[in-house]
Amino acid sequence: MTFLEGHSKFVSLSVTTTGVHSVHYEYKGILKMLNFTVSRGSNSINVDSLHRTSNQPTSGTVKTLQSFTPDKVFACENGTIYLHQKNNFILALGYTRRFPLKVESRTTSTLQIHWKQAPPSPPNPLHRVSLYRPHLNALIALSEDTTPSHSHRFGDLEPCLQYVACMEPADGASVLCLSALTDPDMPTNFRATTWSSRSVTVEWECPLTNPALSPASFLITVFHLNGTGHILEEKVHRHDLDDFVFTVGNLPPCSKVKVGLQAMCQSQGLSRDSKMLISDGNAANSDILDLHQTSFGPNNYTVSWSVRTLSSISSFRVYHQGELQSSTLITSHTVTGLLPCQRYICKVEAVCGDDTVMSVMTVKTRTGPSTVSELQFRQEDSTAEWSPASAPGVAFLYMLSLEVDGPDIRRGRVMESTLPLLGLELGQSYKLEVMEECKGGPQGPPTTLCFVKEEVPIRPRVAASVNQTTDDVAFKVDFPNEELVLVVPWILPSSLRDPNSEPRAELEYIISNKLHYILRAYRQGADVQVVSFEDFENGTKTKITFETFEISRPDDIVSLSAEEQLRYMDSLNHAHITVKDRLIYMDDPDECNIPGLSKCGPHSVCVNTLDSFTCLCETGYYDVSPFLGPSCHEKGMFTLCKMDHTAGGISKQFLIQYFGGDVTVTLNDGRCSINETEKFYYYRLNGPPTQCGAQKHINQTHMNLENTLTVTLSSESVITRKDLKVLWICTYPRMAVSKAHMQPDLDWFNSHTMVQFNSSWLLEFSMALFTDASFTYNYTGVVELSSADYLFLQVTLHSEETLAYDMTLEVESCWATETPNPQEERKAFFLKEGCPADKTFHWYLPNGSQKKSRFSIQMFSMSTRKSLIYLHCVARMCTQDENCTTMCPVRKSEKVRRDLRSKVAAIVSAGPITVHSDGADRKPPTWIGPMAVLAVVGGAIGLLVLTALAVHVAKTLVEHQLRRQ
């Protein structure tokens, strides 16, 4: 029995719909009592009382109930039974589906209630909340408080105890109460202690901080599982004994069970269960553990596994690709008779009895590569060939070296079992190793062949025509000159059709060398010159005209006979060369059009080279692969900015073409020499950055290291020289350089990190301060404002020329500091989570709808000691499918939506701004201008790769996001 008292108020108490409830009430010295229940599955209320009740209100009750407006809840508004209707005391039973008070959450020591506010509410509402504990025939008041919010959390409660929480709205019309139980304490150390084929015993411990409040009972749930761990059946048992031991008995043979435990509290029809603890019971004993592949061969693989105990396992079944391979009692198995370099699925079942599967586990397996055989070298066409042992799709790695223990001169990967080895020297000893490789996997043992490149004798040509009177054989070719024509089945790329372009000259050089190699045995000292490239057979092939010369002396160049060369080419019986109709046909595949084979990078073009293909840089670009991997850079310029060294270089060919002759190069002040290769001038500095004369420039945000290359024409006859200066810059923002473990004599700031500049798109956020609301002119010089002025700010996303051209920008938060550091502890926010935090704040463009955001705020100062302020804003990119507009004030649902947005954001800063009073001495600093901070773009966009890492900005951004969450 509980005692509730209200003065000229309706007091409503919610009760559960289970159990029997007793109501005792006293009016003018007369004590009355009744019991009531709610029919299961309905809202029908059954009252057992010696006193008369009524289903109809009296006129006085009707008049009183009229104080409930439609937007307020009378808790007994449905199925109302009136127990007492006299003067100022009305007692009723009933139900409602919109009771405005509920328990929002609870723990063993807390209750949090939540209620709905009935509009209209008074300004600055203040609700009264109170907590009671039932004791005998009354309620003991525990706490009372007021709150302006719609929820309240009661703390320092005891577990497994009933409480009554009440809330009196600010309008004071009624009091809403509900009865609730706190959660029971969780049992601890729940485990299976003994098990057999017929039973499992579990034990646990229970906190006894207050024995009077210990759980009334425990719920034991037994889960019967199949071999894959799925639940077949659940059985619930109630344990009311004082001991903390329970035995699951009478289990069928080969049973696999897990056991769940929950503590349960009950009081006056209320009940609460704790979270369920799970014990493996006997299930873990038969589970297969750590199934994995232990070894493989070209036609087999071996898997191994383990179980906790073998007592309940009669056998293991091993399946390969779904087919049963073996039933075994050991915990490993080898599957044989397979193909090399293949992937498979292996499944193992643990079986109890005759056919009860206790556990199932699968693993991905693979076989390895085999060994190539019959490796040989064909002297006539300088080609290696072998017989593969594996299935189609296997790759072959090869390594060619000089002699047996010499260095590798060629290495690579081919998909076919043949390998052209053109350009070998006659009489030279070679060693060739070939091994199979599974795609993306292991390599097999190598097969080795040692051979000597030999000269192939020229065989007599079969007669092309027979004289009628003799048996003489004649081969007649009537050429107007000594030029030869080679026809290949591919066309020349359009970028190489200009005979004066750099890649065209490089292609001619490559083709000349290949033809020279084919004709090398025809005449020693012969040279080949490509004359032209022309389309052939309706543009489906290319005709390469060339001529050979014998250079015996520098002033004596003789063209070699085209007729004799045709005879020689025909006599070679080359597998890919045919002489027909006075033309030389070469069966050279168009590798540049084979999908997945030729992958040339930017500013390069793929060209065929008679027996292979290559990537040639476009005009004005040069291959920098010795330094950065295969890539083409304009003028051959490259730079590397690493934590332990810097490097840079430029193409020698570009410099020679630029100056028209040989050049001399000097690095910085000349104290360190420049490195030189056949194609490049370059430097690499590993020690202190300034050891070779590098210039170091430091400002508030960055440090720049500059290396200069001075290039001059070497000719001494030139009096007025044409100079060229090439500048390389490595920029290091101020943050975290101490992690780089640099040498102590570098004089670095303690807060730097690295930035590498290259040709990637840089996505930029910027902020600028404008003179007025037209946003036409922005400040570029001195900025000094009074407290009566306004700041007109614009934050912009510069993405027009990037892959993020369709993104928009949202400004999330803005604040001011007295230093350039956005992490400064002392901050003044004037925009928070997209909503103004200052009454003078004004938007000029809808925030989040365009690539720019405009707003203004009246000038202010942060203290009387300092007159400088710096402004900082968090700017975020928005995709087309996001709603980046913010409704203020931000509601709970809006916060959830904002948290789900992409985190592509950056911090932009500007300043300083001098705040002055009229008549003050004005000595303003220089406006630094928009300090655009570049952010790394990733997350949901995933389109841009930036090479600028601003660690101090990233840290600030993370802290800002954490504060929001």
Side-chain angles (χ1 to χ4, degrees), residues 553-586:
R553 296 187 302 272
D555 57 349
D556 188 11
I557 301 176
V558 179
S559 295
L560 299 179
S561 169
E563 180 179 348
E564 292 181 3
Q565 292 179 78
L566 284 173
R567 288 177 182 273
Y568 171 73
M569 296 283 283
D570 191 59
S571 68
L572 290 177
N573 289 329
H574 196 288
H576 301 290
I577 296 178
T578 305
V579 178
K580 180 181 179 182
D581 297 333
R582 304 177 180 179
L583 300 175
I584 305 170
Y585 290 88
M586 187 169 186

Side-chain angles (χ1 to χ4, degrees), residues 209-262:
T209 54
N210 188 345
L213 304 178
S214 61
S217 59
F218 297 92
L219 294 181
I220 309 291
T221 305
V222 181
F223 301 95
H224 294 260
L225 311 176
N226 63 6
T228 59
H230 290 84
I231 299 175
L232 299 175
E233 184 183 13
E234 296 181 26
K235 292 184 178 180
V236 181
H237 307 270
R238 182 161 175 166
H239 183 71
D240 295 319
L241 303 179
D242 292 335
D243 61 344
F244 303 138
V245 180
F246 184 82
T247 299
V248 183
N250 298 321
L251 295 176
C254 297
S255 293
K256 182 177 181 179
V257 298
K258 288 188 177 183
V259 183
L261 172 68
Q262 293 172 278

